[in-house]
Amino acid sequence: MPDRTAGLRAAAEHAQAFLATLDDRPVAAGADATAVRKTLGGPLPEFGDDPATVIDALAAGAEPGLVATAGPRHFGFVIGGALPAALAADWLVSAWDQNAAFHSLSPAAAAIEEIASAWTLELLGLPDTASVGFVTGGQGANTTCLAAARHAVLARAGWDVERDGLIGAPAVRILCGEQAHATIYTSLRLLGLGSETAIRIPADDQGRMDPDELAKALAGNDGPTIVCAQAGNVATGAFDAFGPIADACREHGAWLHVDGAFGLWAAAAPATRHLTAGVERADSWAVDAHKWLNVPYDGAMAIVADPDPHLAAMSLAGPYLVADPGQRDGTNYVPESSRRARAVPIYAAIRSLGRAGVAEMIERNCAQARRMAKQLADIRGAAVLNDVVLNQVLVRLPGGDDANRTAVAAIQRDGTCWLGGTTWNGEYVVRVSISNWATTDADIDRSAAAIAAVVTS
């Protein structure tokens, strides 16, 4: 019988060595995929190696191609790190190797999903009767929620979309702010609603959907309708006005979905909760855990106020499947059947932080965003373009589009920090996102100085 733990011991040594360098290593990868393939690839092995040898080779070959996304100075995309308790819990998930689809396969996974669901709803101020599915990320969460929305609005029109499909169904109108995230449109494509069918509602200079324009678009057409709002614009961090939007949706019988991939966590902190006022009135919400809750990839929640359309859209049954009466079968809330117990790291993260710790992390990262914005605004010729209400900083560095692209590439090469660019109001600008539990004020100061040095060199 092979030693079950030799590979684990080797993995623990390599993981600890990697984590020991995480705060100080260059953030960008030192090699591209071509170099990693050259080291780790080759012909298919005829005979196998022992686990420790495999892990040693894997760690050595992958090391140059690793990006320090889990470190305190990765400010690209919106990426959190991994809290120590969540990382350790994730190791347990792999060691336990539980299939979280059915209670009969893992009563522990089912129970932890229920606990993590209740804690998440309480932290976010959402109805405690809502249903929660644990999915891979914002894409999975948006797709799951919009599938529930599709079911609900068509059921009101007398159409069973799960049974009869979309051919011949009443048309479903989709309305989104013009700054809606790309995953919304991918979800619409996956659900057969069409990525280009959405009516784009004008937004202001921060990316907030105009509630009056939404109300005008809703007027006079009370057929099956879904409205997609946003908690935390991916560039500016701005929030839609949920109260007026919810009023308009209620008046016209529209389903209101909120994409809150990172911004919905603002509801968990006293200093930022006002930004989410009225969000609890929505019908569904998407929120990531591997962003601002800082669990390892992957983990997110699809939350639906009324569990019935959620279950109607996602549930799975078959005579060969064992369903334990009265128990939660996680597969009924997500698109997948077999899947890992991804609620376990979420449970560990929340338990390790508590309500106060989650709030402190959110508020600290927001303060660090303001600190970063202040220092970048001091660069001659630079301009901060957004109201820094959350953890996002949008800045135009001196020069035009080409100068900003050159600066972003130089900052990435420098390795002190990593950030990306985006197009905002027709200009190529720099986007800084701060959502890591380990980021310190010193990391902000060091990174801002490195950005300034690139610009002024």
Side-chain angles (χ1 to χ4, degrees):
M1 174 71 73
D3 184 344
R4 289 182 180 270
T5 62
L8 286 175
R9 291 193 297 272
E13 291 176 5
H14 289 293
Q16 288 166 350
F18 174 75
L19 292 175
T21 70
L22 195 53
D23 289 351
D24 297 315
R25 67 184 287 137
V27 182
D32 64 8
T34 301
V36 176
R37 284 196 304 270
K38 184 176 180 180
T39 303
L40 292 178
L44 172 69
E46 189 66 31
F47 302 101
D49 290 324
D50 67 84
T53 299
V54 171
I55 295 302
D56 287 344
L58 180 62
E63 163 66 27
L66 297 176
V67 178
T69 50
R73 295 184 307 284
H74 189 281
F75 304 130
F77 301 87
V78 188
I79 291 181
L83 287 158
L87 172 59
D90 201 57
W91 284 17
L92 282 179
V93 170
S94 295
W96 290 340
D97 195 23
Q98 301 288 282
N99 185 333
F102 295 95
H103 174 270
S104 61
L105 287 172
S106 182
I112 292 169
E113 283 198 3
E114 290 179 318
I115 297 165
S117 296
W119 287 356
T120 298
L121 294 174
E122 187 172 348
L123 277 171
L124 299 178
L126 301 181
D128 61 8
T129 53
S131 52
V132 181
F134 292 88
V135 293
T136 54
Q139 181 68 78
N142 281 324
T143 304
T144 301
C145 290
L146 290 175
R150 182 186 63 175
H151 167 88
V153 299
L154 285 174
R156 292 173 199 156
W159 188 269
D160 186 335
V161 67
E162 283 74 34
R163 183 190 65 198
D164 299 327
L166 286 171
I167 298 174
V172 178
R173 285 207 314 159
I174 312 292
L175 297 92
C176 304
E178 64 181 357
Q179 290 291 335
H181 193 267
T183 54
I184 291 290
Y185 302 106
T186 302
S187 294
L188 295 176
R189 184 177 78 235
L190 293 171
L191 293 169
L193 297 172
S195 61
E196 297 303 316
T197 62
I199 298 168
R200 313 291 179 99
I201 305 300
D204 67 11
D205 64 352
Q206 298 296 305
R208 295 176 292 234
M209 176 167 40
D210 186 327
D212 293 333
E213 292 296 324
L214 173 67
K216 291 177 186 177
L218 288 171
N221 188 332
D222 292 343
T225 304
I226 301 169
V227 173
C228 298
Q230 192 172 57
N233 180 280
V234 76
T236 67
F239 289 70
D240 287 341
F242 302 117
I245 290 172
D247 289 341
C249 289
R250 182 165 298 177
E251 180 180 353
H252 296 282
W255 178 287
L256 175 56
H257 170 64
V258 174
D259 175 9
F262 66 96
L264 197 55
W265 290 107
T272 52
R273 189 170 296 137
H274 66 282
L275 297 169
T276 66
V279 76
E280 73 282 353
R281 298 173 56 194
D283 296 291
S284 59
W285 307 264
V287 63
D288 274 320
H290 56 231
K291 287 186 170 66
W292 225 345
L293 189 60
N294 280 248
V295 306
Y297 282 94
D298 51 41
M301 287 80 92
I303 306 172
V304 183
D306 180 358
D308 288 344
H310 192 172
L311 291 166
M314 291 292 126
S315 59
L316 175 72
Y320 42 82
L321 300 175
V322 178
D324 294 338
Q327 301 291 353
R328 176 187 173 96
D329 289 328
T331 190
N332 290 331
Y333 301 92
V334 297
E336 308 144 309
S337 180
S338 297
R339 60 190 177 87
R340 73 198 313 269
R342 61 174 59 96
V344 174
I346 294 170
Y347 169 92
I350 297 174
R351 182 162 179 172
S352 73
L353 292 173
R355 188 195 305 275
V358 173
E360 187 278 331
M361 181 173 63
I362 300 300
E363 292 175 357
R364 172 164 43 87
N365 284 163
C366 291
Q368 289 168 341
R370 295 190 296 272
R371 186 184 186 99
M372 175 70 83
K374 184 177 184 300
Q375 295 186 52
L376 295 184
D378 288 339
I379 298 173
R380 185 174 181 179
V384 174
L385 304 178
N386 66 317
D387 300 329
V388 185
V389 297
L390 202 66
N391 64 331
Q392 303 292 104
V393 182
L394 201 61
V395 61
R396 183 180 61 239
L397 297 174
D401 288 2
D402 289 345
N404 276 253
R405 286 191 176 90
T406 299
V408 167
I411 291 163
Q412 292 173 354
R413 286 195 304 271
D414 171 74
T416 300
C417 64
W418 199 99
L419 46 76
T422 188
T423 300
W424 186 255
N425 291 334
E427 294 183 297
Y428 186 85
V429 297
V430 175
R431 182 169 70 109
V432 182
S433 177
I434 301 169
S435 48
N436 192 301
W437 69 275
T439 300
T440 65
D441 288 355
D443 289 312
I444 298 299
D445 297 345
R446 178 180 170 186
S447 299
I451 296 168
V454 164
V455 171
T456 58
S457 63

